[in-house]
Amino acid sequence: WAAAPFSSAFYPREVLPEWAKVISYCLPMSYVFEAMRARLLRGQNPWSSIVFATGLAIAYALISIFVFVYLFNKRKQ
């Protein structure tokens, strides 16, 4: 729930203050909601936003796997 105000689910990213936009740009779900909004309201196909959100989610998953493996091996030592 802490990420909901920054996810662009309820309102566009443009209405956020500058400090909140920085957080929003780091969340993959904000790109998905912005893409949905562009598709529904303007009829655009924002595939670049969907691809970027997918890449960001994969990057976060790889980083978390790396951190988990590193900490797991460190703990075994």
Side-chain angles (χ1 to χ4, degrees), residues 4-17 33-34 37:
F6 309 106
S7 69
S8 302
F10 304 112
Y11 40 81
R13 185 183 294 154
E14 292 85 30
V15 301
L16 293 174
F33 284 122
E34 286 291 324
R37 187 173 287 110

Side-chain angles (χ1 to χ4, degrees), residues 19-71:
W19 64 269
K21 284 182 187 178
V22 173
I23 297 170
S24 178
Y25 287 129
C26 297
L27 299 174
M29 63 186 153
S30 69
Y31 292 97
V32 173
F33 284 122
E34 286 291 324
M36 275 191 339
R37 187 173 287 110
R39 176 69 178 152
L40 292 173
L41 297 178
R42 295 184 292 273
Q44 299 172 340
N45 286 326
W47 287 108
S48 60
S49 293
I50 300 296
V51 170
F52 187 78
T54 303
L56 196 58
I58 290 170
Y60 286 155
L62 290 175
I63 290 169
S64 65
I65 289 169
F66 174 75
V67 169
F68 174 78
V69 169
Y70 173 76
L71 293 174

